[in-house]
Amino acid sequence: MLKLYNTLTRQKEVFKPIKEGEVSMYSCGPTVYNFAHIGNMRTFIFVDILRRVLKHNGYRLKGVMNITDVGHLESDSDTGEDKMETAAKKENRSPYEIAEFYTKAFFEDLKKLNIEKPEYTPKATDYINEMIDFVVKLVEKGYGYETSDGIYFDISKFPEYGKLSKINLEDQIAGARVEVNPEKRNPYDFALWKKAPKEHIMQWPSPWGMGYPGWHIECSTLGRVFLGDEFDIHSGGVDHIPIHHENEIAQTEALIGKPAVKIWMHSEFMMVDNGKMSKSLGNTYTISDLENRGYDPMDFRYFCLNTHYRKKLNFTFEGLDAAEIARKRLIEQLIAHKNASTAGNPALKEYYQKFDEAVNDDLNIPLALGVLWTALKEPKSRAVYDFAIYADQVLGLRLEQSAQQAQSEETIAEEDAIPEDIKNLAEQRLEAKKAKNYALADELRNQINQKGYLIIDTPQGYKITKK
RNA sequence: GGCACCAUAGCCAAGCGGUAAGGCAGAGGUCUGCAAAACCUUCAUCCCCAGUUCGAUUCUGGGUGGUGCCUCCA
């Protein structure tokens, strides 16, 4: 039995898809105006885990993740410039080039992190007509109105506005810093469509002249286009609860007259050194940054998996180091089980059960990882290895691949990669050891070390590996 | 000013009514001429105060301390 936490009800709910055996889900994707940072990636890892758990439960998936390549303004509440345009100006390229470049980079990051690409990853600019159609209908129904700079949604027509974030609009307005746009009927009204100034590069014809879609309408539209009126899960980062997702709810429910989404799921933020991570503070890292510092993207994935998705995750390099070591040891354990001569142990059934329970309890991956570690402490056997591979279908740590790779690296190091001079030094050291000249032996070991190799004594003799 | 979340060992982190999973670090040990690696063992009574209960880290109320959102960000 799979349980998922629904932001809308603030409760874990037993999951039951609308359509038997199939899950439809929409996940807010990236705005491709820059490289995604590790905070972004945490959310996409969460989406990936969710997808894997659903599959683990036997569901077929119909997942959508949008690529926002227009209309996301500098403020989520529709003020400032379009991010794509700003980036284009800064990099002196067209917004389309920017979008293409960063979209590609985004998909590469997904691959590095072993994140499965959802079934559909539509670009906003490919669905402008559908968005216009959506806005036209809202205006017809009396939910939208025109101002000098665009079409806005009138939230006073949607009394349930705020139900996801549980905000009371009047209280909010009292103390908040809401930008005053005198043409808006209510401070929280948001743009469905923006009229484009002449110099705006991305613009399309519409019943209201040349313009471009609002960011929120993109998600509402794409969700409908691919998944229909109603779908099972909508996910995103917690920052989207108060504006973006409230607006999506308002738009879609205004249009179809009923809730579209059954379960709203949100992943918590990542912090850096106990403070918030944000582009404006400049304390963001990309996956490439981590790679340049010598980490494997899987180290980062492991790091994320160690904390539940609804808890803030404090990123530190100390923490990432711990993850790196832990993952390395995990793989070593795995190899030992893989090479074991004994086949199995029926008591393992309990681990399968515990693992599934953990994972199905609102994606309790930290607990599931603990189950895996405990299983690895069992006597070495193929059965444990098989269990680990089973677990990895959900964890996505590429365990099988890593084990293979680690083993073949070892073989290569043993067979050829050791240069003659290093072998000579090792032989000399062996002689020195036989002669009990330990000072010389240690000195030779140092020399080997300095040349970038590690010499280890084993009962079968010494072993050299590249550092 | 409003809203929300959180508080478990040196660090990260599960558990959420019956006396604390797991990882990193540390300590002790096995192995070694010494190391390294590996392996084994070990390491907490859960922010404070009241209450409910036979029993609370787990529920309720009140504190204190963090963090986030209402500007930008997943």
Side-chain angles (χ1 to χ4, degrees):
Chain A
M1 189 175 66
L2 174 61
K3 279 185 173 176
L4 299 174
Y5 183 88
N6 188 351
T7 306
L8 197 59
T9 58
R10 307 281 154 115
Q11 270 174 340
K12 286 186 200 171
E13 296 174 359
V14 174
F15 179 72
K16 196 169 175 292
I18 298 167
K19 199 174 156 192
E20 172 101 36
E22 181 175 288
V23 179
S24 48
M25 61 183 283
Y26 186 93
S27 309
C28 282
T31 301
V32 285
Y33 68 110
N34 206 336
F35 291 111
H37 61 242
I38 53 175
N40 297 313
M41 294 331 281
R42 181 193 187 191
T43 298
F44 297 123
I45 289 174
F46 150 68
V47 172
D48 187 54
I49 291 290
L50 174 58
R51 288 175 51 87
R52 286 167 183 270
V53 169
L54 289 166
K55 281 190 178 178
H56 192 70
N57 280 273
Y59 294 115
R60 269 170 292 126
L61 289 190
K62 207 168 162 189
V64 181
M65 180 180 281
N66 63 300
I67 304 292
T68 298
D69 56 355
V70 67
H72 195 172
L73 303 191
E74 272 165 14
S75 160
D76 282 359
S77 42
D78 306 313
T79 55
E81 254 196 292
D82 187 310
K83 290 179 178 185
M84 297 305 301
E85 296 265 330
T86 312
K89 273 182 209 157
K90 209 163 81 190
E91 300 191 24
N92 208 10
R93 290 194 273 182
S94 87
Y96 294 99
E97 285 171 327
I98 295 285
E100 200 190 332
F101 178 79
Y102 289 114
T103 301
K104 207 173 148 231
F106 174 68
F107 286 130
E108 275 165 19
D109 280 345
L110 292 192
K111 219 178 267 173
K112 284 179 189 170
L113 290 167
N114 201 208
I115 295 171
E116 283 181 352
K117 206 166 153 180
E119 286 67 26
Y120 307 100
T121 51
K123 286 194 302 188
T125 50
D126 286 340
Y127 295 87
I128 301 292
N129 287 336
E130 286 81 353
M131 293 175 200
I132 291 173
D133 192 49
F134 201 124
V135 178
V136 166
K137 282 184 181 139
L138 284 179
V139 174
E140 276 171 8
K141 287 190 144 195
Y143 288 100
Y145 62 93
E146 187 167 356
T147 72
S148 61
D149 73 339
I151 308 299
Y152 284 83
F153 186 94
D154 185 345
I155 63 159
S156 65
K157 300 268 166 58
F158 187 73
E160 288 185 290
Y161 192 87
K163 66 179 175 182
L164 184 65
S165 45
K166 312 256 187 280
I167 50 166
N168 176 323
L169 286 178
E170 277 148 38
D171 292 346
Q172 288 293 308
I173 293 160
R177 297 158 282 181
V178 177
E179 185 138 342
V180 184
N181 177 343
E183 288 189 71
K184 290 206 306 199
R185 292 182 190 165
N186 316 285
Y188 274 77
D189 286 356
F190 56 91
L192 297 165
W193 181 263
K194 292 284 272 194
K195 295 178 181 173
K198 257 208 181 70
E199 67 277 13
H200 204 276
I201 299 161
M202 298 181 122
Q203 48 174 295
W204 293 265
S206 80
W208 320 281
M210 295 301 284
Y212 55 95
W215 175 45
H216 317 296
I217 202 74
E218 296 181 7
C219 283
S220 284
T221 304
L222 291 172
R224 266 175 66 73
V225 167
F226 287 90
L227 304 173
D229 272 358
E230 289 178 296
F231 52 96
D232 297 303
I233 303 174
H234 190 130
S235 72
V238 280
D239 58 318
H240 285 155
I241 298 172
I243 296 176
H244 185 49
H245 289 162
E246 290 291 4
N247 293 354
E248 273 192 58
I249 289 173
Q251 291 166 339
T252 304
E253 295 193 14
L255 185 74
I256 69 175
K258 61 183 173 187
V261 176
K262 297 294 174 208
I263 300 187
W264 286 88
M265 295 183 74
H266 295 92
S267 66
E268 251 299 348
F269 261 31
M270 174 170 267
M271 316 212 293
V272 170
D273 296 327
N274 273 313
K276 78 173 177 175
M277 163 196 274
S278 77
K279 287 177 181 164
S280 55
L281 290 176
N283 61 354
T284 61
Y285 300 97
T286 64
I287 295 302
S288 303
D289 288 339
L290 301 186
E291 284 180 303
N292 291 337
R293 287 177 183 240
Y295 297 99
D296 188 303
M298 282 301 106
D299 296 333
F300 178 70
R301 187 178 172 106
Y302 185 97
F303 176 78
C304 290
L305 262 36
N306 200 224
T307 302
H308 187 83
Y309 78 91
R310 280 192 286 115
K311 281 213 162 173
K312 291 183 189 71
L313 208 201
N314 185 28
F315 178 85
T316 59
F317 280 101
E318 202 188 6
L320 189 58
D321 285 340
E324 184 187 27
I325 295 170
R327 192 178 72 88
K328 200 182 108 213
R329 289 193 185 150
L330 187 72
I331 291 163
E332 277 164 5
Q333 291 285 329
L334 203 63
I335 292 173
H337 280 103
K338 191 182 175 186
N339 296 335
S341 48
T342 35
N345 167 2
L348 237 45
K349 230 170 72 185
E350 199 183 322
Y351 291 110
Y352 281 88
Q353 210 171 5
K354 280 188 178 161
F355 182 86
D356 286 355
E357 271 171 27
V359 144
N360 285 343
D361 182 16
D362 191 33
L363 320 183
N364 194 340
I365 303 298
L367 182 61
L369 262 182
V371 174
L372 175 59
W373 275 103
T374 310
L376 288 171
K377 284 186 184 150
E378 289 283 328
K380 304 286 177 274
S381 78
R382 280 291 297 205
V384 174
Y385 177 77
D386 291 342
F387 168 68
I389 298 308
Y390 169 86
D392 200 43
Q393 287 171 358
V394 172
L395 304 176
L397 289 168
R398 287 207 261 252
L399 255 29
E400 193 167 11
Q401 226 177 300
S402 305
Q404 251 164 31
Q405 202 182 328
Q407 268 186 313
S408 61
E409 270 171 16
E410 210 169 287
T411 319
I412 290 165
E414 274 172 16
E415 281 171 6
D416 36 59
I418 312 298
E420 278 310 308
D421 60 323
I422 302 292
K423 285 186 185 165
N424 281 337
L425 287 171
E427 279 304 316
Q428 285 174 40
R429 176 169 172 272
L430 187 65
E431 290 306 315
K433 275 181 65 178
K434 277 183 187 160
K436 296 208 192 295
N437 185 349
Y438 296 122
L440 179 61
D442 289 350
E443 166 56 25
L444 288 165
R445 179 166 61 199
N446 276 337
Q447 283 184 30
I448 292 169
N449 261 325
Q450 277 163 20
K451 289 181 192 265
Y453 289 85
L454 215 61
I455 186 158
I456 295 159
D457 293 326
T458 72
Q460 291 79 40
Y462 63 82
K463 199 170 134 187
I464 308 168
T465 52
K466 204 167 176 8
K467 268 190 200 168

